[in-house]
Amino acid sequence: MKPPKSFAILTQNNSNTKQLVENLLKNRLVNGLNELQPLNGLLFSRSEINRYMDEEERHDIKILTKESDQPLKTMSSGEQKKALLNHLLQQNPDFMVLVNPFDNLDVATQAKLKEQLLSIASNRILVQLVSRLGDILPVTTHFFKLDGDSLHQYDSPDTFWNENNTETFNFNGTIPLPLSPIEVEGIELVSFKNVSVSFDGRQVLNQINWTIRKGEFWQIIGPNGSGKSTLLSMITGDSHKGYGQDLTIFGQKKGSGESVWELKQKIGYYTPAITNKFRGYHSLENMIISGLHDSIGLYVQPTDSEKHLAHEWLNLLNLKDRKEDHFRDLTVGEKRLVMVARAMVKHPPLLILDEPTAGLDDASANLFVALVNKIAKESDTAIVFVSHRKEPQLNPEYIYELRPSETGSKGIKLIS
């Protein structure tokens, strides 16, 4: 028996994914996907998991976890997606719409999900909406690209792949110098010595030994639940688990009376969730300058030297002519570039990037990675880049891998 068709739709940061998904699931006519109109389809996406999580928390209605005592919100991303997929298959849909199915999953969990989806594709129509070319299943038979609301169908797989293979990006100019350098004594910025962490009696980290020195470029990897977020939160001062441990940050032993505020002034930090805090009408110029004042918005009159520095950063990002544009009007990829410039404007001794490319399309991710590589090469700032996804263009010097065990995750240093 011939396997059913499998569709791949490459999305970009400007794609109206939500509307297309709604049209498919409500049996509205979509050119190129006409045969799906009379069929019953279901959605596999992060938004669906959030919807079921909301039902569970607000109304104590368990749908995905009715056979388990564990709340959905306490599950890892992999467990949540497994529960959703099983629930959808029990309803026996004619087709399934998959929206970035591999996002927020570690490598091993991605491999397991891919194997399961390939099995499903042998007897059920799949419609993949993905922002990364590498996420497209190899059984795909029909290829599309969603540009805004416009869905373009390709005549052949070769045409699709040839047109959409992304290039390597480079920035003109050099990283702007800070107005006043932040001095840190010694070369060691962070030092963990036999640090162990438990939550509710469960060991998460087991005797972590890790040192970050000035100017080093690290990538942290490890499966979901291995303790990456716990590790970061001890560095930033957002977790009390560092107290009483042999943990030294910027020359001060944790718990020796250090100020969390002073600590944060020496760390540039970015994760995509931070972007949502800037919902007002902030100009790009003010966004960069606000990084000098560690404020959400600019509430002081900027000096000429601050304006000049902001212009240098915007010029580097090819956004100089848009300095008066509102941050909220940028694309997702452009926003993240500006946020990294904001985090780097003071040249902090340490820059932490937590899943910074999650949800970006290939072109935007490559541009973001090019900027990070440039910062690592042209500044003395140490970088810690955390990501589930292996970004092929990223050039870290070292990798710190967390390997889980029954007694908590051990840390292994690898040379990139």
Side-chain angles (χ1 to χ4, degrees), residues 207-228:
Q207 299 208 324
I208 296 297
N209 289 284
W210 183 32
T211 301
I212 304 172
R213 296 176 177 85
K214 285 182 178 178
E216 291 183 339
F217 186 2
W218 287 85
Q219 182 178 13
I220 300 181
I221 62 175
N224 299 91
S226 60
K228 298 188 296 295

Side-chain angles (χ1 to χ4, degrees), residues 139-162:
V139 294
T140 301
T141 57
H142 294 69
F143 294 84
F144 299 78
K145 187 173 185 177
L146 183 61
D147 186 3
D149 290 304
S150 178
L151 187 63
H152 170 67
Q153 183 173 8
Y154 288 84
D155 295 330
S156 69
D158 286 344
T159 306
F160 171 82
W161 290 108
N162 290 336

Side-chain angles (χ1 to χ4, degrees), residues 200-259:
D200 300 323
R202 183 177 71 89
Q203 190 96 337
V204 176
L205 297 174
N206 186 3
Q207 299 208 324
I208 296 297
N209 289 284
W210 183 32
T211 301
I212 304 172
R213 296 176 177 85
K214 285 182 178 178
E216 291 183 339
F217 186 2
W218 287 85
Q219 182 178 13
I220 300 181
I221 62 175
N224 299 91
S226 60
K228 298 188 296 295
S229 296
T230 300
L231 205 59
L232 293 185
S233 65
M234 286 193 287
I235 296 174
T236 60
D238 293 320
S239 171
H240 66 279
K241 292 292 184 178
Y243 292 101
Q245 307 257 23
D246 196 347
L247 171 58
T248 303
I249 303 177
F250 303 126
Q252 284 193 288
K253 188 80 172 285
K254 194 70 176 176
S256 63
E258 80 282 0
S259 162

Side-chain angles (χ1 to χ4, degrees), residues 321-385:
D321 294 337
R322 300 174 62 187
K323 66 179 182 178
E324 299 300 332
D325 286 8
H326 291 137
F327 177 71
R328 64 191 297 167
D329 295 330
L330 298 182
T331 67
V332 175
E334 290 169 340
K335 285 179 179 178
R336 295 194 190 180
L337 294 176
V338 170
M339 289 299 290
V340 170
R342 180 181 178 276
M344 264 301 295
V345 69
K346 292 191 296 186
H347 280 233
L350 179 62
L351 176 66
I352 298 175
L353 303 171
D354 189 2
E355 295 286 351
T357 56
L360 290 182
D361 58 32
D362 281 308
S364 297
N366 287 349
L367 190 59
F368 186 94
V369 166
L371 178 60
V372 175
N373 286 336
K374 189 175 182 66
I375 290 170
K377 185 178 180 180
E378 297 179 8
S379 78
D380 292 326
T381 294
I383 298 175
V384 175
F385 190 106

